[in-house]
Amino acid sequence: QVMEQPSSFQAHLAAGLSAALKPLGIPLIAQLWGENPDRTPSTLLTLLDHLNPRALVLNPLTRGNEQVAVDEILASRPDLPLIHLCGRGRGASFRGDNALGMRLVAEHLVHGCTVRNILVVRGNLDHVDSQEREAAVLAELARLGHPIDPARVVNGGYERDIAQRVTRSALERDPDIDAVVAFNDRSALGAMDAVISMGRRIPEDVVVTGFDDEDFAAFCQPSLTTVSQNLFQIGYTAGTVLPRI
């Protein structure tokens, strides 16, 4: 395995794949995004050239320029079977239900927490999960009678430090904000950093929600409400399909 401090998001997907493939004697080589994401396209190209894999399993990259580079590599290999985890494209796709997850978040905030002024911290504009989560949460909040002003939707880039900056800026110009919907758990941590740095309490003053249920979410203080996609099962299900393609 080629690993650079993988996120628990990726690690659970890879663990599910491995659990399905290992009993069948099918090896798994995992290139997981880590501290040097700029190396992703070149490393993938090297692996494809030297290993001639039976199939390629993909998880969408969080940074658009790297995804474009990877897409160009794959376009030059139209016969290579592809499986997408938490994404979509040519080949099979295995994903959680973004729309259901965000509807549940919206209902939790409006009915369970009775918040009124919600900030949405999206991921990347060109990332499929961010697009689907944004559409779903905005539609559900509008249905529940709490439409979101476009000024209360900001770009967090799926990164803790970026989410911290944009959340703090939003809270400074709009102190009535009483909830933050982040599109992944790392962004949620950044939002929590911003709230706490301004002397506000979680969840008494500001409720913060995440998405993905990464390992660290269980140990957050204050606690973090998040959406679990059962990443291991997504990977495992994809692994059961691989031998048949």
Side-chain angles (χ1 to χ4, degrees):
Q1 292 185 332
V2 180
M3 299 186 182
E4 297 179 351
Q5 300 179 1
S7 69
S8 61
F9 181 97
Q10 295 170 313
H12 284 304
L13 289 172
L17 274 169
S18 181
L21 296 175
K22 187 175 181 179
L24 303 175
I26 300 175
L28 169 69
I29 298 177
Q31 180 193 358
L32 304 181
W33 176 84
E35 294 298 316
N36 296 299
D38 292 336
R39 292 173 49 187
T40 297
S42 61
T43 306
L44 173 61
L45 187 59
T46 299
L47 290 171
L48 292 176
D49 286 343
H50 288 81
L51 297 177
N52 189 28
R54 177 175 180 171
L56 184 64
V57 182
L58 299 163
N59 179 226
L61 294 166
T62 59
R63 306 189 187 197
N65 58 324
E66 290 136 25
Q67 187 65 58
V68 169
V70 169
D71 289 343
E72 290 175 352
I73 292 171
L74 299 179
S76 67
R77 292 167 167 78
D79 296 327
L80 178 64
L82 302 180
I83 285 183
H84 297 268
L85 301 183
C86 305
R88 60 189 176 198
R90 171 170 63 89
S93 178
F94 298 86
R95 322 172 58 211
D97 192 333
N98 285 317
L100 174 59
M102 296 313 296
R103 288 198 300 269
L104 292 173
V105 166
E107 292 170 4
H108 167 71
L109 292 176
V110 173
H111 295 318
C113 303
T114 63
V115 299
R116 294 291 180 266
N117 303 292
I118 302 168
L119 176 71
V120 174
V121 181
R122 60 160 72 102
N124 290 326
L125 288 172
D126 54 0
H127 193 274
V128 59
D129 281 341
S130 183
Q131 294 168 351
E132 292 187 356
R133 292 171 191 178
E134 180 174 352
V137 76
L138 295 184
E140 185 65 10
L141 288 171
R143 188 187 72 81
L144 294 172
H146 295 278
I148 299 296
D149 187 311
R152 285 184 174 166
V153 181
V154 296
N155 299 333
Y158 285 135
E159 299 288 346
R160 181 173 184 170
D161 58 340
I162 300 174
Q164 189 275 334
R165 291 196 300 270
V166 298
T167 301
R168 184 178 177 92
S169 177
L171 289 170
E172 288 174 342
R173 67 174 181 268
D174 193 353
D176 290 334
I177 290 171
D178 56 5
V180 180
V181 176
F183 286 3
N184 73 338
D185 292 338
R186 295 175 188 275
S187 296
L189 289 186
M192 294 171 74
D193 293 338
V195 172
I196 293 170
S197 72
M198 298 181 70
R200 303 181 70 177
R201 300 168 299 167
I202 301 171
E204 293 86 355
D205 300 322
V206 182
V207 177
V208 179
T209 66
F211 206 106
D212 293 334
D213 194 21
E214 290 207 54
D215 290 348
F216 58 78
F219 304 101
C220 288
Q221 292 294 331
S223 60
L224 173 64
T225 297
T226 187
V227 177
S228 174
Q229 299 191 74
N230 197 345
L231 298 169
F232 180 93
Q233 187 61 46
I234 291 174
Y236 185 88
T237 303
T240 62
V241 171
L242 271 170
R244 301 197 294 272
I245 65 174

